[in-house]
Amino acid sequence: MKTFLTYDVKKASEVVKRGGIVAFPTETVYGLAARLSDPMAISRIFEAKGRPSDNPLIAHIGAIEQLGMVAKDIGPDARKLVHSFFPGPLTLVLKKRPDVPDIATAGLDTIGVRMPRDELARRFILACGEPVVAPSANLSGLPSPTTWQAVLEDMDGRIDCILQGDPTEIGLESTVVDCTGGVPVLLRKGAVSLDELRSVVSATRDDGANTDLSVRSPGLRYKHYSPRAQVIITGDDASVPFDPAAAYIGLSEPGRRLELVRVAPSVEDYAKELFEFFRECDRLGLEKIYCEPVREEGIGAALMDRLRRAAST
Ligand code: TXA
Ligand code: MG
């Protein structure tokens, strides 16, 4: 299969309408889209990524009016979160409509829904004529792609088309919140922080440490976001041992010469550059990546979550 590259939203959406699978940019990471109503195309997403079939996909809507095409019984807390954070980097897990194909949700009766705020993403989804399901557009287990070139690196010959856009603005995947129980529960950290969620629904719980989390958010069970190189979180002083085949990324200088060093000017830049930095290290065949820890507030909490996942083997 030849993967077609285009900057043209209309051409990319036509591929989706014909049953193809198409990568597209969002403000978080690049996604890999198929029509919500097209089980054949959705099964090709799982195949192209090498994704376990028990890991559900997120439905992406281009306008609030499309929410009712995906979910039902949307409660008052979920409505408040929609009102405050859509469009944006927040996924809400809601009761799914019965006509949503089982393959999209891995058989669950719930579905994650997100409305990206990226302009190109929304134009693309609307041009597809219905919501699309989309996981991150990487091979399963590798870091999510934040550039179209990273998508091509993983997916060339495996998907029909890439809608080329800019590098993504945030660089980490969306915050995921389960709204199907009594109170909203944070399942995955992202750019919308727990504090921001609580400023809208104060009872929102962080179940990050809950052992049955993997049951409710199946994706968290799998190893994620990992480069081939070993990821090591440094001490607070960013001290790095002598190691010529190593790389470093952080907010402060590592105090040692290494093969590849990235000092980010802010936590936001660190988050935005992390996954591409991981990929760069793998391209160079480096063996270790030292990462400086950051304070767990705002996007820093999501960044630390991804660093810990990448560092755990
Ligand atoms: O920012 C993002 O969310 C990106 C862009 C493309 O929108 N998408 C993304 O999708 O990261 P993916 O498939 O790589 O991660 C989706 C996460 C997984 O951890 C999955 O298990 C969880 O959301 N999830 C999806 N549907 C769910 C559901 N019904 N219940 C619980 N967790 C769900
Ligand atoms: Mg993913």
Side-chain angles (χ1 to χ4, degrees):
M1 176 196 318
K2 179 114 180 71
T3 301
F4 167 63
L5 303 182
T6 182
Y7 291 97
D8 187 328
V9 168
K10 190 157 178 293
K11 283 188 181 145
S13 66
E14 274 159 10
V15 177
V16 171
K17 284 178 166 172
R18 287 198 300 268
I21 55 176
V22 176
F24 70 106
T26 80
E27 71 275 21
T28 56
V29 300
Y30 274 70
L32 177 58
R35 271 185 313 191
L36 178 68
S37 65
D38 190 340
M40 283 289 286
I42 297 173
S43 74
R44 287 185 55 217
I45 288 182
F46 284 92
E47 197 181 301
K49 281 181 58 80
R51 182 179 178 102
S53 60
D54 62 351
N55 192 0
L57 306 180
I58 295 173
H60 291 66
I61 58 175
I64 293 290
E65 294 69 47
Q66 289 185 328
L67 187 55
M69 299 169 75
V70 180
K72 60 168 193 175
D73 306 337
I74 304 169
D77 286 345
R79 282 186 192 285
K80 283 188 205 160
L81 295 173
V82 166
H83 183 76
S84 301
F85 299 110
F86 278 27
L90 176 67
T91 296
L92 297 180
V93 174
L94 302 167
K95 288 273 175 225
K96 86 171 180 80
R97 270 181 56 141
D99 47 345
V100 171
D102 280 341
I103 185 172
T105 62
L108 298 175
D109 61 357
T110 60
I111 186 159
V113 188
R114 170 163 123 73
M115 176 170 160
R117 74 168 173 235
D118 183 82
E119 182 68 39
L120 190 60
R122 267 186 288 155
R123 278 205 286 130
F124 167 71
I125 297 163
L126 290 176
C128 290
E130 62 176 283
V132 298
V133 287
S136 50
N138 52 288
L139 285 175
S140 200
L142 292 185
S144 294
T146 56
T147 65
W148 66 259
Q149 292 90 342
V151 177
L152 188 65
E153 181 173 68
D154 279 16
M155 293 301 186
D156 194 15
R158 308 176 72 88
I159 64 176
D160 299 298
C161 174
I162 299 174
L163 174 60
Q164 298 163 287
D166 292 331
T168 58
E169 176 199 332
I170 295 168
L172 302 179
E173 305 84 350
S174 63
T175 304
V176 179
V177 175
D178 183 355
C179 292
T180 60
V183 296
V185 178
L186 177 63
L187 299 182
R188 180 175 75 181
K189 294 188 167 96
V192 176
S193 69
L194 186 60
D195 282 348
E196 286 175 283
L197 294 166
R198 284 183 174 157
S199 73
V200 176
V201 179
S202 56
T204 304
R205 264 197 358 239
D206 176 6
D207 260 12
N210 192 329
T211 44
D212 84 340
L213 184 64
S214 64
V215 178
R216 256 181 294 137
S217 193
L220 300 180
R221 210 168 31 232
Y222 301 105
K223 190 166 161 62
H224 260 112
Y225 324 114
S226 315
R228 291 184 184 84
Q230 185 191 357
V231 172
I232 300 155
I233 302 175
T234 70
D236 289 335
D237 57 354
S239 61
V240 176
F242 177 72
D243 195 340
Y248 167 91
I249 183 167
L251 294 174
S252 44
E253 294 284 345
R256 204 185 272 284
R257 285 182 65 142
L258 295 164
E259 188 68 27
L260 187 66
V261 170
R262 182 74 40 86
V263 178
S266 67
V267 182
E268 285 71 24
D269 286 289
Y270 188 171
K272 180 178 174 145
E273 291 179 27
L274 181 72
F275 288 156
E276 188 52 31
F277 188 76
F278 281 173
R279 284 175 177 270
E280 217 173 305
C281 292
D282 280 348
R283 282 177 210 126
L284 293 171
L286 300 179
E287 283 162 18
K288 290 185 178 136
I289 309 172
Y290 292 93
C291 303
E292 187 186 9
V294 299
R295 288 171 55 153
E296 302 206 33
E297 54 188 33
I299 190 79
L303 178 58
M304 284 309 296
D305 169 74
R306 302 310 189 272
L307 290 179
R308 288 197 189 99
R309 286 175 196 283
S312 74
T313 47

